[in-house]
Structure formats: structure tokens, C-alpha cells
Amino acid sequence: MRTAAQNAELALLIEVAGTPKPGNVDRERDLPGLRFEHFLAGAVGAQGGLRAAERGERVGAAFERAVEGMADQRGGNTQFGALLLSMPLVRTAGEGELTPEAAAGTVAATTVEDAVDFYRAFDHVDVRAGDPPEEMEPLDVRRGSDAAEAIRTRGLTLADLMERSADRDGIAREWTDGFEQTFEAADRIAALDGPLPARAAETFLWLLAHEPDTHVAKKHGESTARSVMVRAQEAREGGPDHVRAFADSLVESGINPGTTADVTAGALFVALERDGLEV
């Protein structure tokens, strides 16, 4: 029987193995400087932090440890968002039943030191972030551990930080609304038939067709994110050839729906852990 940490690692591996996964690395497509093997190494490297979360260590400390291990490969940031989404879920599963209510309780229990650890994670890897308003510069995530004093002075918990970002970041939104999309996508994965990587790829496209990807919105603008959402639904309706053409077009345009991939990974973990899906 797999542990929660092992299910989380397996979820990361299955997520990247799903194909086609428009705009993202999968087992049949690499991107410049970012290859399938980097994601495999990132998932394995994160295991120490996942185990720490399962045995009850603070969410922020476990996350920072997982990111440090994930970054021990040449591709850079492979699963930062997926680990941020999954960490409170793994911690919850390690303590008992994995439900939205229990996961929300884990989020609510985060502390200022968890927030400091979250910032420390940015010391290990480059993550896309826009320029904050002038009054928020002391809390710019790109400062990494240098922002610790500002976080402690303001008394911000990790839950507070996620709430501040929820209107523009899909992972933060999951933290603040009880992981609604994650559990809904997990239900879909559990209900589908066939190999789990194929279920993951189908669920990725379903998610992309239902809500604008916030990573795309940050990089390319809200209108592009909404256009990608519409095109994803058209591809789903058109069938496999349309999906493959859609995937090619996103890569050619440099559009990477990374948040959707992160939610898919979190949903896979929930489906494996809560529903006991067999592999």
C-alpha cells in the first residue's frame, strides 16, 4: 500500500506522462531547455518534502524542502505550483481523511513561519512573477528569504499570502476555496476509464476549457487566456486530431498553461489517495 507521499510523487509522474497536454511538456514533447526527464527528476527530488508533510511537519517547511529537492535537475522550475497545491493535501492525508473541509483546516492552521518558508522556496528556483505595487515591494516574492523580516513584521501567515493572491493566481485560489477545482477534477479522473495518464490528459483539457489559466494570463494577458479556454473546448469537440493541432499551436506561440497542469497533478493525488485508484 502506497503512503500519501508516494501517491503525491506518483501523481507528479503520471501528470507529466499524460499526452497530448497542449503547451506543456509530456512524454512525447519536450520544450526548449525543459525536458520530460527534468520533470521525472523533479518529482523524485521532491520526495523528501512530501514525506515531511505526510509526517506532520509545517506546510511551509515541507514545501521549501520539496522545492529544493525538485530543483536538483537542469530544467529549473518543473513542479513549483503543483507542489504548492499538493502540500496541504499531503499534510491533511497524513493526519486522516482527505476531504475539502479537512484540507481547508490545514490551510487555516498555517503560520507566519510557513509564510517565511514559502518565500525561502524562491531562493531555489526562478518563478515567473510580475512587478508588485510600490507599497508591496518588501513582499516581492523574488526577494526570497530577504523578505522574511517584512513578513514577520506584518504578521502574515501562508494562508494570508494565498488570500492576497487568489484573484490572480489559480493555485492561491484553490488554497482559499477549499480546493474546489482539484476535488472536482479528481472526481472526473476517478469516473473515467483507461490508463491514468490518458485520464490525466483528458482532465487537463477539460480544466483548460472551463477556466482561463492564470499562468497564461500573467504571461500573455487575460484575453489570450480566455481565447485559449475557448480553443480548448473547440479542440475537445473536434476530436484527437484537433487536440493535437491545438497542442502544436500553443507550443508554436510559446503559451504554457502551467496552472492547469498543476491542478491536474493535485487532482491525481486526490484520486489516488482518496479513491484508491489502482495503477
Side-chain angles (χ1 to χ4, degrees), residues 46-117:
Q47 182 60 211
L50 294 170
R51 287 198 302 267
E54 181 186 27
R55 63 176 175 259
E57 291 190 19
R58 287 189 297 101
V59 170
F63 172 67
E64 191 262 340
R65 182 174 175 182
V67 170
E68 182 180 19
M70 175 211 74
D72 189 21
Q73 36 75 27
R74 295 183 179 181
N77 176 20
T78 51
Q79 291 121 329
F80 188 98
L83 290 170
L84 180 59
L85 174 64
S86 299
M87 204 57 61
L89 300 175
V90 176
R91 169 70 185 271
T92 302
E95 294 181 336
E97 186 179 3
L98 179 57
T99 66
E101 295 76 19
T106 299
V107 168
T110 60
T111 66
V112 172
E113 289 309 305
D114 287 312
V116 171
D117 290 326

Side-chain angles (χ1 to χ4, degrees), residues 8-18 36 39-41 43-44 79 268:
E9 180 182 5
L10 180 58
L12 295 174
L13 294 169
I14 292 173
E15 188 282 320
V16 74
F36 179 61
F39 282 80
L40 302 182
V44 172
Q79 291 121 329
L268 279 163

